């Protein structure tokens, strides 16, 4: 074994004027670093990069020396992303590209493409080679065209060059602009022609490149769908490969089909249900095959598609995912187990499981039946932040189910770890934990009382000052839910800790529409059916600031969601308190704005405005006869107290015209009729 001093000598030997010594040193270094992270780290410390890159930069460097130097670069690039970054910064990419130019030595070309493939294994490097893409792509295509020469394709070295060139081309498809640049070279037909070639490594490389080329790109997916391969379409050829016994071919074919499915290209649902999903389930069960990419592919395939999610459940995907969690739990203390891989697998399983249960109630029930909540709750105490965040996200989707929230969640023990995660120092964990909490605080959730006793309101009050706007938004959302269906004692506790002033401030947050929306929603629920809440708002803020807030929410340029909450805030105040209703009616601009929104194109906004009109009109002046007979005011008797103000807006005519519209939304129509009942002319 060479000593450190000898390694220093090898590096120094690279500067020798004797080509034989340089070649010998490069071979020794190459053999030392292959498969050894320790040796690679040592040579980085010995600053080997400038010595090797300078050899490649010289025009008169011998081909054999170039091959060995390129092999060293390739091996060093495999160390980690930081190593690849240093190599990129050294300018070596330009030299490697020059070595794959048409007419270059075949062995050197293969070594250079191999080095580029190693460098491009990292996302940052893929993005960092932008200035080289224009030159690299045509050189890669010239290598790939060797596949057209049937005599050359049988050569193993030609195989390797073509395969590596295709892989590099696929890795360059990082952005939409690059996808179009590469697709416009005519490479689609070239790659598609390799699918039935019968050489597995070339088929896998072509599938990977086609998958990268069409990822999240509807136009390229559409172009692929139209490709014809002898007697088959592209989709038929890919589906055949999805059935292939080679797991790598099958997986990458499934990924190509998933791209078209996500972009809604072609009618592929039946094929996905009968071919792709079963193929991926089979791969999950394949001994010795890395399941992580299969799990991730299932998550991508099932994203926002209830039919495919249901097909995945029916194919046993949920049960298989839970089995993976069970196996990994049993390996926690085992020797010779890649714990880092297992950690990534757990995270991947939770994310994919969350996707599958995100919209489908039957999928959620199946996950709960298979004890998913047990694993999720335990994972919330995991040491890795990514696992904790993924567990929270998956839990959030499962507890969207009202029945699960009422039955299985209370006994799962989820509340305690979730409250801990709300106070985690990591933003990603806080974001997913706070989003999960929202569904646990609805008025039908049995955990609300326990959460309040555990000090939840104090935690939420702290989250409102978070620098992360999403965490703040989720905290407001939780407060909104907490304020529904509570008694005034609980309302008073929440108001005292959350502070009306804080909600007002967030309701006016500049450039943060989603914070404004949820803060207004919280204020809306503070005052719903509660004089305590109404008085708290007006006593804290004063009449002028409350009116100013309502005006801001109803501006013509305000988002619909903000208008809805502003209108319901006004409604909840008006319907409960005649005194405060008078304050709203007394502001002419505000009343006119409320009336104008009854014809809003958004039915949700229109209904909120009509409820507001309904509440204002519900206050009546007692009739003279009833005052004389009863000696007291009776609100239900007499005419609308604010009929003059509403009539001045020509509101009755507007409402009657709305009823004449045959296309009027049915819910809006019902509310219009209710409002018209308050006008004397409508009653006659």
């Amino acid at each position: 074994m060479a000593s450190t001093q000898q390694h220093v000598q090898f590096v120094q030997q690279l500067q020798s004027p004797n080509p034989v010594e340089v070649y010998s040193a490069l071979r020794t270094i190459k053999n030392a670093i292959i498969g050894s992270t320790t040796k690679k780290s040592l040579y980085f410390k010995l600053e080997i990069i400038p010595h090797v890159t300078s050899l490649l930069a010289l025009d008169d460097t011998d081909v054999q020396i170039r091959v060995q130097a390129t092999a060293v670069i390739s091996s060093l690039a495999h160390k980690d992303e930081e190593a690849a970054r240093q190599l990129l910064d050294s300018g070596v990419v330009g030299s490697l590209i020059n070595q794959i130019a048409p007419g270059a030595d075949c062995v050197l070309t293969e070594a250079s493409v191999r080095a580029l493939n190693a460098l491009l294994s990292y996302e940052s490097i893929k993005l960092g080679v932008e200035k080289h893409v224009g030159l690299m792509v045509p050189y890669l295509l010239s290598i790939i065209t060797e596949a057209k020469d049937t005599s050359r394709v049988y050569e193993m070295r030609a195989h390797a060059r073509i395969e590596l060139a295709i892989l590099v081309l696929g890795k360059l498809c990082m952005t939409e602009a690059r996808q179009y640049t590469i697709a416009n070279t005519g490479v689609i037909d070239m790659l598609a022609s390799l699918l039935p070639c019968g050489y597995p490594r070339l088929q896998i490389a072509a599938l990977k490149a086609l998958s990268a080329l069409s990822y999240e790109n509807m136009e390229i997916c559409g172009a692929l769908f139209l490709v014809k391969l002898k007697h088959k379409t592209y989709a038929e050829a890919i589906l055949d490969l999805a059935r292939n016994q080679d797991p790598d071919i099958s997986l990458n074919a499934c990924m190509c089909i998933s791209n078209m499915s996500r972009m809604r290209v072609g009618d592929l649902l039946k094929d996905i249900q009968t071919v792709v999903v079963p193929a991926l389930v089979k791969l999950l069960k394949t001994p010795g095959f890395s399941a992580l990419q299969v799990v991730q592919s299932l998550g991508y395939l099932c994203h926002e598609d209830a039919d495919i999610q249901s097909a995945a459940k029916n194919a046993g995907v949920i049960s298989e995912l839970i089995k993976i969690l069970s196996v990994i739990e049993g390996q926690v203390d085992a020797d010779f187990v890649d714990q880092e891989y297992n950690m990534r697998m757990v995270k991947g399983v939770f994310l994919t499981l969350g996707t599958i249960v995100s919209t489908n109630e039957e999928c959620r029930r199946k996950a709960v039946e298979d004890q998913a909540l047990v694993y999720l709750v335990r994972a919330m105490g995991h040491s890795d932040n990514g696992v904790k965040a993924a567990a929270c996200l998956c839990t959030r989707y499962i507890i969207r189910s009202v029945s699960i929230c009422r039955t299985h969640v209370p006994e799962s023990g989820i509340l305690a770890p979730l409250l801990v995660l709300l106070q985690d120092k990591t933003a990603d964990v806080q974001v997913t934990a706070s989003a999960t909490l929202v569904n646990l605080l609805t008025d039908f959730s049995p955990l609300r009382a326990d959460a309040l006793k555990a000090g939840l309101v104090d935690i939420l009050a702290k989250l409102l000052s978070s620098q992360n706007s999403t965490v703040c938004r989720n905290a407001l959302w939780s407060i909104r839910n907490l304020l529904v269906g509570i008694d005034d004692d609980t309302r008073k506790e929440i108001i005292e800790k959350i502070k009306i002033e804080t909600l007002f401030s967030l309701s006016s947050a500049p450039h943060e529409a989603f914070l404004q929306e949820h803060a207004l929603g919280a204020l809306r629920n503070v005052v719903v059916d509660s004089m305590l809440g109404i008085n708290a708002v007006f006593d804290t803020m004063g009449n002028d600031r409350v009116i100013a807030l309502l005006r801001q929410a109803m501006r013509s340029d305000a988002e619909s969601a903000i208008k809805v909450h502003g209108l319901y805030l006004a409604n909840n105040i008006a319907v409960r308190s005649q005194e405060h209703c008078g304050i709203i009616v007394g502001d002419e601009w505000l009343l006119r704005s409320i009336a104008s929104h009854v014809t809003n194109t958004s039915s949700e906004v229109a209904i909120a405005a009509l409820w507001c009109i309904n509440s204002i009109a519900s206050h009546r002046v007692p009739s003279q006869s009833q005052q004389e007979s009863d000696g007291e005011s009776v609100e239900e008797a007499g005419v609308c107290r604010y009929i003059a103000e509403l009539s001045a807006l020509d509101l009755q005519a507007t409402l009657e015209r709305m009823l004449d519209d045959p296309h009027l939304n049915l819910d809006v129509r019902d509310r219009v009729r209710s409002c018209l009942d308050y006008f004397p002319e409508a009653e006659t």
Side-chain angles (χ1 to χ4, degrees), residues 647-667:
S647 297
L649 301 173
D650 200 25
L651 188 58
Q652 182 179 358
T654 300
L655 295 174
E656 289 172 346
R657 282 195 298 272
M658 291 174 69
L659 281 183
D660 292 336
D661 180 3
H663 304 295
L664 188 66
N665 178 279
L666 291 178
D667 293 329

Side-chain angles (χ1 to χ4, degrees), residues 33 125 160 253 333 403 422 428 578 584 679:
I33 64 177
I125 309 302
D333 298 319
S403 61
L422 287 173
D428 287 348
Q578 180 177 302
I584 293 172
F679 289 86

Side-chain angles (χ1 to χ4, degrees), residues 359-543:
T359 59
N360 192 299
E361 184 70 13
E362 290 184 6
C363 292
R364 294 180 192 130
R365 284 201 292 269
K366 176 60 177 172
V368 170
E369 288 171 7
D370 287 350
Q371 304 300 308
L373 284 174
V374 174
Y375 294 99
L376 289 166
V377 171
R378 283 205 283 261
M380 288 181 184
H382 200 280
S383 59
D384 181 74
N385 291 326
V387 171
K388 289 188 285 192
C392 288
L393 185 64
C394 185
T395 303
R396 175 190 176 192
Y397 289 132
I398 288 177
I399 63 177
R400 280 179 174 176
S401 166
V402 175
S403 61
I404 290 173
C405 214
R406 282 177 171 168
T407 55
H408 295 84
V409 170
E411 61 191 29
S412 68
I414 192 175
L415 183 60
L418 193 59
L419 292 180
V420 172
L421 295 183
L422 287 173
Q423 302 167 80
D424 197 276
K425 295 179 181 179
T426 308
D428 287 348
V429 174
Q430 275 198 325
V431 166
T432 52
S434 57
T436 304
L437 179 70
V438 172
N439 290 341
L440 290 178
L441 299 179
T442 50
D443 54 349
F444 55 75
S445 172
L447 289 181
R448 290 177 81 187
D450 293 337
L452 289 169
K453 290 177 185 176
L456 174 62
V457 179
D458 292 309
I459 295 172
L460 292 175
K462 291 179 181 177
L463 293 181
L464 290 182
S465 60
S466 171
Q467 296 300 306
N468 187 304
S469 57
T470 305
V471 171
C472 185
R473 187 275 308 270
N474 291 341
L476 284 168
W477 204 338
S478 293
I479 292 165
R480 279 179 57 188
N481 286 352
L482 270 179
L483 287 164
V484 176
I486 56 173
D487 56 46
D488 273 350
D489 288 339
T490 305
R491 190 184 308 273
K492 183 178 179 181
E493 178 191 351
I494 295 172
I495 289 171
E496 287 176 349
K497 292 181 177 179
I498 298 300
K499 309 294 183 188
I500 297 295
E501 183 68 62
T502 300
L503 296 179
F504 256 75
S505 176
L506 292 170
S507 297
S508 307
H511 313 301
E512 295 284 4
F514 65 104
L515 286 183
Q516 294 178 33
E517 173 192 343
H518 288 281
L520 276 168
L523 282 170
R524 160 189 170 180
N525 290 348
V526 165
V527 301
V528 67
D529 294 330
S530 172
M531 279 307 303
L532 182 145
I534 294 172
N535 288 332
V537 168
F538 278 87
D539 291 347
T540 302
M541 306 312 301
N543 297 356

Side-chain angles (χ1 to χ4, degrees), residues 103-372:
D105 179 85
C106 292
V107 177
L108 180 59
T109 297
E110 180 189 335
S112 301
V113 182
R114 193 178 300 280
L116 288 169
N117 188 48
L119 279 166
L120 292 170
S121 298
Y122 311 99
E123 301 298 304
S124 65
I125 309 302
K126 292 176 186 177
L127 293 171
V129 297
E130 183 65 37
K131 66 180 182 180
H132 300 290
V133 172
L135 184 59
M136 203 185 319
V137 170
Y139 287 178
L140 292 169
L141 290 175
S142 70
I143 299 171
I144 297 170
T145 53
E146 291 186 58
K148 292 182 178 179
D149 187 340
T150 53
S151 63
R152 297 290 300 281
V153 83
Y154 287 98
E155 297 178 18
M156 292 307 295
R157 283 215 175 272
H159 255 189
R161 285 195 301 276
I162 296 166
E163 176 196 354
L164 289 164
I166 294 171
L167 292 173
V168 171
L169 196 68
K171 289 178 178 179
L172 291 176
C173 297
M174 272 290 290
T175 64
E176 186 179 82
R178 287 197 200 165
Q179 287 175 325
Y180 286 125
T181 297
I182 293 170
N184 289 336
T185 63
V187 74
I188 288 178
D189 289 332
M190 200 180 300
L191 293 174
S193 68
L194 291 174
L195 297 179
C197 73
Y199 298 98
R201 293 180 69 91
L202 287 181
Q203 288 175 306
I204 293 167
L207 287 167
K208 285 183 176 181
L210 287 166
S211 175
L213 192 62
S214 60
Y215 179 73
E216 296 289 314
N217 193 311
M218 182 179 293
E219 189 173 342
I220 292 179
C221 282
L224 284 168
F225 192 75
L226 299 175
V227 170
K228 300 291 184 182
L229 298 170
K230 294 183 179 179
H231 305 296
K232 293 182 180 179
T233 65
Y234 171 79
E236 289 170 343
I238 294 292
L239 287 167
D240 282 348
L241 292 173
R243 300 183 182 96
N244 197 285
Q245 295 303 307
D246 185 313
D248 285 308
I249 291 177
S250 178
L251 173 60
N252 285 287
C254 288
M255 291 170 69
C256 288
I257 288 290
S258 296
N259 287 347
M260 291 196 291
S261 171
R262 282 286 297 271
M263 295 295 102
R264 303 294 189 263
V265 173
D267 186 12
L268 297 169
L269 178 59
K270 185 176 179 181
D271 293 318
I272 287 170
Q273 291 172 328
T274 59
V275 178
V276 179
V277 171
L280 290 172
V281 173
K282 180 181 177 182
L283 290 174
L284 276 181
K285 300 176 181 179
T286 302
F289 188 70
S290 175
L292 179 56
Q293 200 171 4
V294 181
V295 169
Q296 292 169 336
S297 298
L298 279 164
Y300 181 73
L301 179 65
C302 294
H303 183 70
E304 295 183 350
D305 195 313
D307 291 326
I308 298 178
Q309 291 165 9
S310 182
K313 175 191 74 73
N314 294 338
V317 171
I318 293 174
S319 297
E320 289 301 320
L321 293 176
I322 301 299
K323 285 179 185 176
I324 291 173
L325 295 175
S326 176
V327 170
I328 291 175
E329 275 203 358
Q331 296 175 341
V332 171
D333 298 319
D335 295 327
F336 310 112
V337 171
D338 188 343
Q339 298 297 347
E340 185 178 346
Y341 173 83
N342 277 356
M343 187 169 64
R344 286 187 286 125
M345 176 62 84
V346 169
K347 180 180 175 181
V349 167
F350 286 150
L351 292 176
T352 295
L353 185 59
T355 299
I356 294 172
V357 304
S358 60
T359 59
N360 192 299
E361 184 70 13
E362 290 184 6
C363 292
R364 294 180 192 130
R365 284 201 292 269
K366 176 60 177 172
V368 170
E369 288 171 7
D370 287 350
Q371 304 300 308

